[in-house]
Amino acid sequence: MFGNDRFVWNQMLAMMNERYQNNKDLPFLGKFKLNYLLKPLKKEYPFLKTSDSSSLQVVNEFLTQSWKNFFQDKSGQIGKPRFHSRKYLKKSYTGKSIIKTAGKRYLKIPKLGYVKTSKTGVLQNTKIKRYTVLLEPTGKYYLSLQAEISEPEKYSLTGKQVGIDVGVADLAILSNELKYPSFNSSYFEKKAKIWQKKYSRRRHLVKLLVLQDRNKRVLCPRSLESFTNWQKAQKSKAKYQAKAANQRRDYLHKLTTHLVKQYDVIAIEDLKTKNLQKNHHLAKSIANASWRMFRQMLEYKCEWYGKKLIAVDPKNTSRICSKCGYNSGAKPLEIREWTCSKCQTKHDRDINAAVNILHKATPTGQGLAMVTS
């Protein structure tokens, strides 16, 4: 299935590249015209008939969208679609055929048959629009479903509002002086680093053993599947990386759901995380804290459950005294507590910033950037 999708992508892409190189005035081939080419392609390559036909149509849809993104991009940041390599570790295919539930523990997937699962209960009386079969670098398979479901029930209103300042050591610092720590992934990072060294060393040996001449002809015909130690190192490294990612995502889900239940109005800073990560001293810590994912979860959960999320301009939130409004200027990151020189109020740097964020989000506040409700 994975190989057939990759083969169709590469065949269609090669055809379109040749078409536009020879004559750029030819009309653009959309997904429906590409689908007409699947029938003669299957006659030429009969092994394509073993795939779900809808998955090959989805490949054409993705390829068409890639070309459209390239043509519509005026910034020059999006390049032409590229050929897919079989060496890519993360493999997947997407289909639009009907998936049926069989009993309480099985799903029937086209061309694959029955697959055992424990999640069929939530699929009752739902319409599955698309499915994706995914092979992770850890060697585990996952089935992702896109389905139409009823709207979730709204949470009851509490009459509370809060400002949140995000940090590195503490992920969320609330204006009511509550602090929620960042997810600690040091154990998984240490394990992944150990296997990364083994993986790099064994990969170097693989390159030495699989010799090639100048014409890239293999002189030592040994397949990659025969390097079991290299594969073990790769899967072990991916396993610890996946554990860290899954536990971090679970932690963020629990935290954001708790915040949305507790507060009707949540104010946060409108931070540009991509720009902040250009600071090499803080990039790793910011990535581990997952500020972007934290905000995305708050956005859609507030929309789902009838709460309001307000993003404000982050300018001067850590400089202004939340009590008297005096701006005492920039402060180095190592200063975590400071005293206002005007009103002599002692502040915790992060809590003071969270209070200022909440003040900016009020109707009379300035610097309102975005409201999601």
Side-chain angles (χ1 to χ4, degrees):
M1 292 287 194
F2 300 145
N4 289 353
D5 274 25
R6 183 182 65 250
F7 180 81
V8 170
W9 173 282
N10 292 339
Q11 289 287 321
M12 295 296 184
L13 180 56
M15 180 270 297
M16 295 180 77
N17 284 338
E18 184 179 357
R19 175 185 173 90
Y20 294 118
Q21 284 177 0
N22 296 335
N23 189 351
K24 295 184 179 180
D25 296 329
L26 290 174
F28 177 76
L29 291 180
K31 59 181 180 180
F32 297 109
K33 293 183 178 179
L34 291 179
N35 289 340
Y36 281 119
L37 300 177
L38 287 176
K39 189 173 182 179
L41 196 65
K42 287 181 180 180
K43 289 184 178 179
E44 186 176 358
Y45 304 100
F47 59 84
L48 294 177
K49 296 179 181 180
T50 58
S51 286
D52 179 6
S53 59
S54 66
S55 70
L56 303 181
Q57 295 173 3
V58 172
V59 171
N60 291 335
E61 181 181 337
F62 290 162
L63 181 58
T64 303
Q65 187 60 47
S66 297
W67 277 107
K68 286 182 179 179
N69 294 340
F70 169 70
F71 289 132
Q72 295 173 0
D73 177 54
K74 296 181 180 179
S75 63
Q77 296 181 354
I78 301 178
K80 291 182 179 180
R82 298 180 179 180
F83 292 100
H84 289 177
S85 171
R86 68 176 66 190
K87 296 180 181 179
Y88 187 55
L89 295 175
K90 194 174 181 180
K91 303 181 175 73
S92 67
Y93 77 91
T94 301
K96 296 185 291 184
S97 299
I98 298 176
I99 291 184
K100 298 180 179 179
T101 57
K104 296 182 178 180
R105 298 287 181 181
Y106 289 90
L107 289 173
K108 188 177 182 181
I109 303 177
K111 299 291 185 176
L112 292 183
Y114 293 95
V115 176
K116 190 174 183 180
T117 177
S118 61
K119 301 295 182 180
T120 55
V122 298
L123 298 176
Q124 300 297 331
N125 302 321
T126 59
K127 181 182 179 181
I128 300 174
K129 304 183 73 174
R130 287 194 179 191
Y131 72 94
T132 299
V133 179
L134 175 67
L135 173 61
E136 291 283 352
T138 57
K140 294 183 178 180
Y141 289 89
Y142 291 90
L143 176 64
S144 174
L145 302 175
Q146 184 185 35
E148 290 182 356
I149 60 173
S150 57
E151 292 186 4
E153 295 183 5
K154 308 293 184 182
Y155 288 149
S156 57
L157 299 178
T158 62
K160 298 179 182 179
Q161 56 185 10
V162 70
I164 301 178
D165 180 50
V166 293
V168 175
D170 294 311
L171 171 61
I173 301 94
L174 277 55
S175 56
N176 56 10
E177 301 187 2
L178 290 176
K179 295 184 178 182
Y180 296 93
S182 297
F183 174 74
N184 185 7
S185 61
S186 58
Y187 172 78
F188 300 106
E189 288 179 358
K190 184 178 179 181
K191 290 289 187 180
K193 192 174 182 180
I194 293 173
W195 283 105
Q196 174 63 40
K197 290 181 179 179
K198 295 181 180 180
Y199 171 74
S200 300
R201 185 166 60 250
R202 292 168 184 176
R203 184 175 178 82
H204 177 67
L205 293 175
V206 169
K207 289 183 178 180
L208 292 177
L209 291 173
V210 183
L211 300 176
Q212 295 180 346
D213 61 9
R214 292 182 179 179
N215 297 325
K216 295 185 177 182
R217 292 179 300 181
V218 177
L219 302 179
C220 177
R222 186 176 174 185
S223 64
L224 291 177
E225 289 76 11
S226 62
F227 295 95
T228 55
N229 286 338
W230 172 68
Q231 289 184 340
K232 179 182 177 182
Q234 183 270 320
K235 288 186 178 181
S236 298
K237 181 194 69 169
K239 180 182 70 173
Y240 287 108
Q241 290 175 337
K243 280 187 177 182
N246 292 338
Q247 291 194 16
R248 183 186 294 108
R249 190 179 297 108
D250 178 69
Y251 175 75
L252 291 175
H253 271 301
K254 290 176 179 178
L255 175 57
T256 51
T257 301
H258 171 75
L259 292 173
V260 172
K261 281 184 178 180
Q262 292 292 320
Y263 305 101
D264 295 345
V265 178
I266 300 174
I268 60 174
E269 289 179 303
D270 188 20
L271 295 174
K272 306 300 180 184
T273 308
K274 188 175 181 180
N275 295 335
L276 291 172
Q277 286 186 319
K278 292 180 181 179
N279 184 339
H280 300 295
H281 298 287
L282 297 175
K284 185 176 180 180
S285 299
I286 293 173
N288 180 66
S290 301
W291 291 354
R292 181 181 178 85
M293 189 182 298
F294 177 71
R295 174 171 173 171
Q296 288 177 340
M297 289 183 179
L298 282 177
E299 285 179 351
Y300 73 75
K301 288 182 181 181
C302 285
E303 185 177 358
W304 280 0
Y305 301 117
K307 302 301 180 75
K308 182 180 289 186
L309 179 70
I310 303 176
V312 302
D313 187 353
K315 186 178 180 181
N316 294 330
T317 54
S318 61
R319 301 182 181 186
I320 297 174
C321 173
S322 58
K323 188 172 183 180
C324 68
Y326 177 70
N327 189 339
S328 57
K331 303 168 186 65
L333 289 176
E334 58 266 18
I335 297 178
R336 309 314 303 171
E337 293 182 354
W338 58 280
T339 302
C340 178
S341 58
K342 185 175 182 180
C343 65
Q344 303 303 316
T345 303
K346 188 175 182 180
H347 291 294
D348 178 289
R349 180 192 183 104
D350 298 325
I351 296 175
N352 177 72
V355 175
N356 286 328
I357 291 169
L358 181 60
H359 289 168
K360 282 191 173 186
T362 58
T364 57
Q366 300 296 321
L368 188 62
M370 180 190 71
V371 177
T372 303
S373 61

